[in-house]
Amino acid sequence: MININEERDLAFSDQFISARLVQNVRDYTTTGVVINLSNEPMTIAGEVPGVIPKWKSTILRGAAIASAERVAIIDVRSDTNLGGLVFGKWDWFGNRFDKFPRTTPLYISPYDIVGEVEVDPFRFANLPCDVQVSDKYDIRLNLWWAPAKTDAFIHNEHSFLEIHTQIFGFGRIQIYHENNEATLYREITTAPGDTHDPIVRVTGKREWSYPWHRGWTDTDAIWLAIELHPRD
């Protein structure tokens, strides 16, 4: 039996941020950034219904999701003393990554695995492919927080497919030819409610590469990482 509007708190929901997972969504009224975590479109109720494509997002204010397979709904309860969230369940990223610069104030929330999905990585990355290459992935979520003007570290190594949704504040994803700030050649702006397209280059089943890239915050910012981890 399928339970309609089956919901729970996400692992990083706290006094500062409301974060919910809702599955098998039907006529569900909500407020916040709503992220479509599925291969199916999400429909927003209205005189003229809205359609949110797979793996994209929107902001709702007391509006109803008419139908969706799986969504995360994230809303900042108050931005007063918002940086205080780092004193709760969050962790400074340098505690997890030895090479991370010791003076960079980038913080990561707990992880939450919210389900399994079957995805063609070529189509997920919007790349042409003449064959079907489907694979199963765990969907893992976490939030990031950093104050304004934070350099979130140039890197190009990921063992998973990823995209990000901006929850609070503004920033950019900056893409480089090399591991060097002077080689910047592309920027993707991020505003609340935006989910960017993947920047990964897929070359085969569980084979991909990323350009050198980093997150940059123009203001204090919170963003959601959506990671698809290949299942064993």
Side-chain angles (χ1 to χ4, degrees), residues 8 10 12 20-23 25 33-42 52-57 68-74 112-119 124 137-142 163-165 195 224-228:
R8 67 170 175 84
L10 291 166
F12 40 80
R20 302 282 289 168
L21 175 72
V22 190
Q23 302 187 81
V25 190
V33 177
V34 181
I35 306 99
N36 182 4
L37 299 173
S38 80
N39 292 321
E40 301 299 323
M42 171 172 60
I52 309 304
K54 59 185 180 181
W55 307 107
K56 290 294 184 179
S57 53
E69 180 180 332
R70 179 192 297 109
V71 301
I73 304 168
I74 303 176
D112 198 322
I113 296 176
V114 300
E116 177 187 312
V117 67
E118 188 167 343
V119 165
F124 179 82
Y137 299 82
D138 285 327
I139 307 169
R140 192 175 80 169
L141 308 180
N142 71 269
I163 50 179
H164 302 89
T165 301
T195 298
L224 176 72
I226 304 164
E227 300 176 351
L228 301 187

Side-chain angles (χ1 to χ4, degrees), residues 2 8 12 23 40 54 58 64 78 80 82 92 94-95 101-102 107 117 139 141 150 172 175 182 197 212 216 219 228:
I2 297 176
R8 67 170 175 84
F12 40 80
Q23 302 187 81
E40 301 299 323
K54 59 185 180 181
T58 191
S78 171
T80 300
L82 184 56
W92 176 60
N95 291 332
R102 302 291 96 183
Y107 293 83
V117 67
I139 307 169
L141 308 180
T150 295
R172 287 168 272 172
I175 304 175
D197 288 323
W212 291 103
W216 174 268
T219 67
L228 301 187

Side-chain angles (χ1 to χ4, degrees), residues 150-195:
T150 295
D151 164 7
F153 190 66
I154 299 175
H155 60 288
N156 70 347
E157 297 179 6
H158 291 299
S159 60
F160 46 81
L161 303 171
E162 75 165 357
I163 50 179
H164 302 89
T165 301
Q166 194 76 7
I167 304 300
F168 176 87
F170 297 86
R172 287 168 272 172
I173 297 170
Q174 299 179 316
I175 304 175
Y176 301 84
H177 289 296
E178 301 172 13
N179 186 8
N180 185 323
E181 287 187 343
T183 65
L184 175 69
Y185 70 94
R186 181 185 174 197
E187 291 187 306
I188 302 170
T189 57
T190 56
D194 288 347
T195 298

